[in-house]
Amino acid sequence: DAGVIQSPRHEVTEMGQEVTLRCKPISGHNSLFWYRQTMMRGLELLIYFNNNVPIDDSGMPEDRFSAKMPNASFSTLKIQPSEPRDSAVYFCASTTETEPYEQYFGPGTRLTVT
Amino acid sequence: AQTVTQSQPEMSVQEAETVTLSCTYDTSESDYYLFWYKQPPSRQMILVIRQEAYKQQNATENRFSVNFQKAAKSFSLKISDSQLGDAAMYFCAYRSDGFSGLMGGNEKLTFGTGTRLTIIP
């Protein structure tokens, strides 16, 4: 298996622009997680899905952030409009259906908003 | 809510020596999982080792082992025979059992702030 796939790996955009991050989970995994990593806040969960349904979005910073999972093999995280404080590494992870529910991480997307 | 604390922002060890990274957590749950993840400069998050709370035996993966003290809520990682490739950020993480009658396998990970490990040649 190719593992969790994220695109793009790097994104540089100007403040106010829309940014879309993409994730393809490992085939057969039924849960998908979006994390954000910054120096100030460390690794924090933004949202997670189970069987394509959002379960917990309490970590989504504000209305500028939205996430979708239209099917079992694809998810997007959108920021509109983007701000410099959104600059971070965004990770997608998916998890197995069997104990101990190990989470597999994608390589991350480094987002820079100027 | 659960919290995970890593009190050592940085650690260093001589190559071939042994180092122990500390992690404590706070929870009221009796069943849960604990993980150590490694993040090298490539930033890829790599699972190093896992521990199920219901297992008394400490987990071991080659040169990596844990000291799991459930009563003390402590979960330290020991790296033996340190190698240059072990240099990375190490994160301790907690996951609820999730076996609450609701959907399983979907509980989030709560991470510590990480420990940066340097290997001295």
Side-chain angles (χ1 to χ4, degrees):
Chain A
D1 199 315
V4 176
I5 299 173
Q6 289 188 248
S7 65
R9 292 294 306 275
H10 304 273
E11 177 78 33
V12 180
T13 190
E14 292 184 348
M15 183 174 62
Q17 296 298 305
E18 177 180 295
V19 176
T20 299
L21 310 182
R22 298 173 176 78
C23 176
K24 176 179 169 56
I26 293 174
S27 177
H29 285 190
N30 69 333
S31 293
L32 182 141
F33 303 76
W34 282 100
Y35 292 91
R36 179 171 68 176
Q37 185 178 32
T38 61
M39 289 293 292
M40 292 297 294
R41 299 174 66 90
L43 272 160
E44 52 183 344
L45 178 73
L46 299 177
I47 185 171
Y48 74 89
F49 297 84
N50 180 263
N51 292 322
N52 312 337
V53 176
I55 302 300
D56 182 353
D57 65 355
S58 60
M60 295 287 263
E62 48 199 90
D63 292 346
R64 297 186 298 107
F65 285 68
S66 62
K68 295 182 179 179
M69 192 165 187
N71 57 61
S73 59
F74 184 67
S75 177
T76 60
L77 178 67
K78 184 177 294 186
I79 308 172
Q80 165 65 17
S82 58
E83 297 182 1
R85 61 192 168 120
D86 302 330
S87 297
V89 179
Y90 291 81
F91 287 100
C92 175
S94 66
T95 192
T96 57
E97 297 183 9
T98 55
E99 190 185 42
Y101 310 113
E102 175 180 330
Q103 288 193 17
Y104 294 82
F105 283 74
T109 295
R110 180 176 292 281
L111 173 65
T112 302
V113 183
T114 60
Chain B
Q2 293 79 26
T3 59
V4 178
T5 302
Q6 293 179 250
S7 59
Q8 306 156 314
E10 297 182 349
M11 291 281 286
S12 60
V13 63
Q14 205 80 31
E15 193 177 1
E17 297 296 308
T18 296
V19 64
T20 298
L21 308 184
S22 300
C23 173
T24 59
Y25 57 94
D26 186 30
T27 185
S28 59
E29 299 173 331
S30 58
D31 294 321
Y32 48 87
Y33 302 87
L34 297 165
F35 304 86
W36 279 99
Y37 277 87
K38 169 185 177 181
Q39 187 178 39
S42 67
R43 78 168 180 250
Q44 176 73 52
M45 294 289 286
I46 303 165
L47 180 68
V48 174
I49 199 166
R50 72 175 73 86
Q51 176 77 45
E52 295 86 342
Y54 61 83
K55 291 186 177 179
Q56 293 184 339
Q57 187 173 7
N58 289 324
T60 299
E61 290 287 343
N62 301 314
R63 298 182 294 107
F64 298 87
S65 61
V66 299
N67 183 5
F68 173 50
Q69 301 290 327
K70 191 172 184 179
K73 297 179 183 176
S74 171
F75 182 60
S76 60
L77 174 69
K78 186 172 81 171
I79 306 174
S80 303
D81 185 26
S82 298
Q83 301 176 0
L84 294 178
D86 295 334
M89 282 288 288
Y90 286 81
F91 293 94
C92 178
Y94 173 103
R95 181 201 174 282
S96 296
D97 178 284
F99 194 69
S100 60
L102 302 176
M103 290 175 283
N106 58 12
E107 293 294 327
K108 67 180 182 180
L109 291 178
T110 300
F111 287 91
T113 51
T115 296
R116 182 175 301 281
L117 178 64
T118 300
I119 311 296
I120 303 168

